[in-house]
């Protein structure tokens, strides 16, 4: 399992959320509170939007907590939309190519969870990825494969339908292979403007997911300061501090869409 | 392109060939003499046999010339059969998972060259890999894919036939995709007893390949000392020193088999 | 804090102790049981003796638990004497040069603990290192500095006296700087034949240290199998399994010497 | 030896100079044209100023040409003042801590060259670093030591005088040790507003250094487009393209100061 955080709103220095809060994502890399895997030290990644349509990407294999470069980037770079991810491998190797987020053109994708029986269904899943998209497949994770399959299913045009179709396709392959392990995912993707997130699993036991909206004014004594207004949205694996009024849980089987500070959460029920 | 070296014979400390010769493999990583790519600094790998049937593997992404660990291992470990490889990427990422040699059970494989139009044929090549073998596919290189495809084609039972069939299959896929770039390879594989090597290309312009046999007695003033007897065999991308009497070129379109110091080289002519 | 293990005895494959036991050192890197720092993921190191007087050294910055190279080396290499260390930084950077063990000629040294007020006394400690020894100082840790200072104090000739003198010198510098933090260390060193270990602290709260002797016959169900005879000795930060009959605690303020399976533990009481 | 580049002027995306020119710094990492060391693959570093007084720092040990992170950062980050460096080690280890630029508070420093007999004079040079500054000494290079010694000699208040005094001190230590190897340096430092550079050697054979001024409008067909006006200044080891009209050589024994597009070059003649 892994932990991740997505932010969209007024431009902020990324360390405001990645390093400063009491239960910051970087702290979660060393000691997560609501995760099966306490330690998320098998690499990390950062994707952020700046002046270009294509986001920047910074991924490395060391634990997030010990990377001086990450701290420097997070302090320096102000961004209106960024994804950050700390990884606990579920089997595939620790490699930059297996670190989230994944990028395709102007899109970012990141994931926490697991396609059950991945070793059995991988070749078939990869075979279904659209030929031109396959060129950008670099690693061996189920997460990157899901992203590419979903892209071919129209992720850029209709994220909800594409995710539903992709989930259904994978469930079908799992069934054919007689896989009994569950398929679980909390995932996020974005085109640089809208933020999409999904919490779903075949056994109703998805990894945790939360969201909040407000004006991020900084961090004080390890607590995120959220002002009036809904200019900014965060979607994340676990709360950054213990202020219960801030963090809303995303229910099992939900799809979340955020744009301009407005958040919609509706049921996600893939066919199959 | 890359540079590699395979040794089979009396056990020797690996640095005898990797570090001590004037044109040692590590020197080739910084400045190769007979290679399209002068610098082979995109990672390296070492595979060696010890007390176990399964070989050891040490691969990393830094240049071979600057890795203190590699020097230490090469000094310490004596082995009767080892493969070493320094990589110059032809497009795929610098990652441990893309470093040679590749291992499957007791076998090692390494490669220098390129499957023309790899981006176009990759998905089809991968789709032809035997399902159970696909589980050990970790990276994205053409080299590792060739190895896995050849394993499914019976590499362990009949290496010549398996390589021929694999080359033919790939040529067929290249033709279907209308690829005009050549397919070139000098490759080596072993089960820990016999050493196999291949020099072949679709356009008659394979990377260079040499072999020698004799009793490796060490290295003096940067020259490999080869004594009487044919106890040991080396197959390698380029000579380790300028002593022309030592190094025999492997002709284009050849397959080499070495065992117990005996070397056979015969024509390799895949159907197709 | 860190965790380490030293082995001396009949040659064994290193993974017998590093990977196979229930509470193996590699498991301790992810989740130590008797350490202030639960996670020891800031690099690791391995030093071992083979055919040469000078030991081999393999150190890297990733967590020990995720390094495929380490697993391969540990499986392949049989050694009669090896040191292994997993690091939790106490402030200095994660870098190969700061990973233990440290090597000087035929000697190895590793350490768990901290020189109180290191930032204040470092320049003075380094200034006291013998000029010729200073050339091999590569990192910035207190541990490596202690080793070099001790070498100049005669570590190779009389380890007990050299350690006592070095501790006294450092305590003196700490006192001059008004350092109130404690000086704590459990350390080990060896010349490839004798194994020395030290557990001492200025405040009586040293990191834990254990030892055992016997014939290591392997690992069964995660339990180390120790046969009759005292051919082998282990000194280590924490027991490798819960078999209480195996593991003897080294008392505070002790120096341990092991050779040929014989272990002596006597009080260590530095002047000052 | 190494290669470096310093830019100060209108904010530009860093890849305009680091990746796009025909002889870009990244190309120099693989194949420098005016350097003793053709390959500068022993790590790299980037320091840049953004919204904060303290610059960001990104350094890693892989070759600059193969780091996807570096490419992403260089594309994304626009900066009015940045330093970039590709390293060819002159003996000290490949480690992030030995990669340039070095940072102290709001200052950056980078260097190409060598203090002759560094192994002999290092301990004395380090002993002369001001005690409070020594806390930020992390690696073992002569370059970082020069920076810290110069900081203690008043680099922040009077860079010319501080550099002259530091050079003189080091020459004095070299003389005391009977070092016959030369002391050579081309170095740059900045406080985020003014850019300082130095080309000097004890034997009149400093590494190459160039400068140019103008309005950087981008890169076309690998040529840097410099418009009218002197808003921007570059100081760098070698020209980025073959347009001879752009690049002015900095003479041996010179000190350069640039601010607001104005460049002054005057003789540098340290006492001693």
């Amino acid at each position: 399992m892994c932990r991740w955080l997505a932010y969209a709103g007024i431009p902020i220095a990324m360390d405001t959320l990645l390093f400063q809060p009491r239960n910051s994502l970087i702290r979660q890399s060393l000691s997560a509170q609501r995760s099966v895997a306490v330690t998320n030290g098998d690499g990390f990644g950062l994707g952020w939007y700046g002046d270009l349509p294509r986001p920047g990407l910074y991924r490395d294999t060391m634990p997030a907590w010990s990377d001086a470069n990450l701290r420097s980037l997070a302090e320096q770079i102000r961004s209106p939309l960024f994804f950050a991810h700390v990884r606990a491998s579920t089997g595939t190797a620790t490699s930059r190519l297996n670190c989230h987020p994944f990028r395709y053109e102007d899109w970012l994708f990141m994931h926490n969870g697991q396609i059950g029986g991945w070793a059995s269904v991988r070749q078939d899943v990869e075979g279904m990825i659209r030929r031109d998209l396959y060129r950008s497949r670099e690693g061996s994770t189920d997460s990157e494969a899901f992203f590419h399959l979903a892209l071919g299913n129209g992720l850029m045009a209709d994220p909800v339908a594409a995710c539903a179709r992709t989930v259904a396709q994978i469930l079908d392959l799992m069934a054919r292979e007689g896989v009994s392990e569950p398929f679980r995912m909390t995932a996020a993707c974005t085109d640089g403007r809208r933020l999409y997130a999904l919490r779903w699993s075949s056994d109703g036991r998805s990894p945790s997911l939360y969201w909040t909206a407000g004006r991020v004014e900084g961090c004080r004594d390890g607590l995120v300061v959220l002002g009036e207004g809904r200019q900014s949205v965060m979607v994340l694996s676990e709360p950054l501090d213990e202020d219960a009024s801030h963090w809303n849980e995303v229910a099992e089987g939900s799809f979340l869409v955020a744009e301009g500070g407005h958040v919609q959460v509706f049921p996600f029920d893939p066919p199959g």
Side-chain angles (χ1 to χ4, degrees), chain A:
Chain A
M1 298 297 167
C2 315
R3 301 279 89 181
W4 57 256
L5 175 156
Y7 173 86
I10 48 171
I12 59 171
M14 296 192 285
D15 74 331
T16 310
L17 302 182
L18 299 189
F19 282 89
Q20 294 181 25
R22 227 169 263 189
N23 187 39
S24 74
L25 192 73
I26 305 312
R27 181 161 293 270
Q28 292 170 41
S29 72
L30 190 57
S31 182
Q33 296 185 354
R34 303 188 187 213
S35 174
V36 177
V38 169
T39 310
N40 294 275
D42 300 329
F44 66 86
L46 192 60
W48 75 97
Y49 292 85
D51 295 334
L52 307 173
R54 201 166 99 115
L57 212 53
Y58 174 60
R59 304 185 295 179
D60 212 343
T61 55
M62 59 197 325
W65 71 77
S66 66
D67 183 36
N69 287 332
L70 178 60
R71 182 173 279 275
S72 209
L73 293 179
E75 282 170 6
Q76 294 292 332
I77 301 177
R78 298 175 70 81
S79 170
L81 203 172
F82 58 90
F83 277 23
H85 187 277
V86 293
R87 184 165 180 259
S89 169
T90 55
T92 47
T94 298
S95 162
R96 283 189 183 184
L97 307 179
N98 288 341
C99 287
H100 308 226
F102 302 101
R103 179 177 62 189
Y104 180 76
E105 294 182 357
D106 303 348
W107 283 69
L108 288 176
F109 174 86
M110 65 184 169
H111 172 236
N112 169 19
Q114 194 166 10
I115 295 176
W118 176 237
S120 307
V121 298
R122 177 181 157 202
Q123 197 175 21
D124 289 335
V125 172
E126 290 185 350
M128 293 174 72
I129 292 172
R130 213 175 65 202
R131 183 171 279 268
D132 60 307
L133 293 164
Y134 200 68
R135 294 173 183 235
S136 74
R137 165 86 163 148
E138 290 191 306
S140 58
T141 59
D142 50 356
S143 308
E144 190 199 22
F146 184 96
F147 179 37
H148 283 89
L149 189 54
L151 283 166
N153 284 329
L155 186 72
M156 290 167 156
D158 184 344
V160 180
C163 285
R165 189 167 173 214
T166 306
V167 166
Q169 284 174 318
I170 291 171
L171 283 174
D172 186 49
L173 292 173
M174 288 170 64
R176 274 198 242 167
E177 290 293 318
V179 171
S180 59
E181 299 165 61
F183 176 8
R184 293 177 186 153
M185 67 188 305
T186 60
C189 64
T190 184
D191 59 357
R193 287 167 298 120
R194 273 198 200 133
L195 176 60
Y196 305 94
L198 170 63
R199 185 181 183 213
W200 178 85
S201 61
S202 64
D203 66 347
R205 301 179 63 183
S206 303
S208 60
L209 193 65
Y210 294 82
W211 71 274
T212 193
R215 185 181 171 79
V216 174
E217 291 174 352
C219 211
R220 196 175 305 133
D221 299 331
L223 297 169
V224 179
V225 181
L226 279 182
E228 290 295 313
R230 293 210 139 212
Q231 293 93 336
S232 301
V233 172
M234 273 177 267
V235 184
L236 65 193
S237 296
E238 50 186 79
L240 300 179
D241 57 34
E242 60 271 38
D243 185 341
S245 68
H246 284 166
W247 313 101
N248 313 291
E249 193 169 2
V250 176
E252 267 285 357
S254 298
F255 202 97
L256 180 154
V257 181
E259 187 176 16
H262 294 279
V263 178
Q264 273 184 287
V265 184
F266 45 85
F268 175 79
D269 189 18

